[in-house]
Amino acid sequence: VVDQSGSMADSVIHAAVTAAIFSSLPSMRTHLVVFDTEVVDLSGYTGDPVEVLMRVQLGGGTNIAKALRYAEQLLQNPRRSIVVLVSDFEEGGPEGAFLRTAASLVEAGVTVLCLGALDSSGRAHYNERIGRSLAEVGAQVAVMTPDQLASWVAEVIG
């Protein structure tokens, strides 16, 4: 679930590389969902998410809760599912709805990985307060470059 809102413009390359890493994992069924205030399911294009994300720039506002609710509908077995959110966590709608949706996923047994955005220079660019709130509801929250991602994911789901 990749944030493509206007505030993520500097993070599009980081988000694209991160999406590519997850979509290329073997023996996993992967969905690719991008969002701003609308949600676009690009699951049919997971073969090259970098190309897709570099072409599809939605822009505008942000509705993370809506995107997570959409992702929740795609899950067949929550206890064997991972939802990865790549965002700067700058929610345009009510923060409570976003956090309740994340908490609902965690309570259902979903592993929720929230990756804070990096700007084009590789510096953290995300709402730290919301990141802490996500961790408080049980999501795993981190900010890292793609080369650190595999180790972190193995640690979290291992």
Side-chain angles (χ1 to χ4, degrees):
V1 181
V2 181
D3 187 342
Q4 293 273 289
S5 65
S7 64
M8 287 288 289
D10 284 347
S11 302
V12 68
I13 293 172
H14 167 254
V17 171
T18 300
I21 290 168
F22 280 102
S23 70
S24 68
L25 294 174
S27 71
M28 293 184 81
R29 189 167 47 95
T30 304
H31 296 278
L32 176 60
V33 177
V34 298
F35 69 96
D36 54 14
T37 56
E38 297 300 320
V39 176
V40 178
D41 190 331
L42 300 173
S43 298
Y45 302 97
T46 58
D48 192 355
V50 172
E51 178 70 21
V52 170
L53 291 174
M54 296 303 284
R55 288 177 181 239
V56 178
Q57 274 292 301
L58 300 174
T62 311
N63 191 329
I64 302 170
K66 184 177 184 179
L68 289 179
R69 284 192 302 271
Y70 182 86
E72 186 174 33
Q73 296 172 18
L74 299 174
L75 305 177
Q76 292 181 349
N77 185 343
R79 296 205 174 279
R80 295 186 48 155
S81 298
I82 300 170
V83 171
V84 180
L85 170 65
V86 180
S87 177
D88 58 8
F89 312 138
E90 294 293 348
E91 177 64 291
E95 290 176 8
F98 163 35
L99 295 171
R100 281 191 301 278
T101 304
S104 174
L105 287 165
V106 170
E107 289 167 11
V110 177
T111 300
V112 179
L113 306 179
C114 298
L115 294 166
L118 297 175
D119 67 16
S120 58
S121 299
R123 293 183 301 267
H125 174 73
Y126 70 103
N127 184 319
E128 292 180 33
R129 181 181 56 78
I130 296 294
R132 284 190 299 277
S133 295
L134 284 163
E136 288 171 5
V137 301
Q140 301 295 317
V141 181
V143 180
M144 66 192 66
T145 57
D147 63 322
Q148 301 164 312
L149 188 59
S151 297
W152 180 70
V153 170
E155 180 182 313
V156 169
I157 65 173

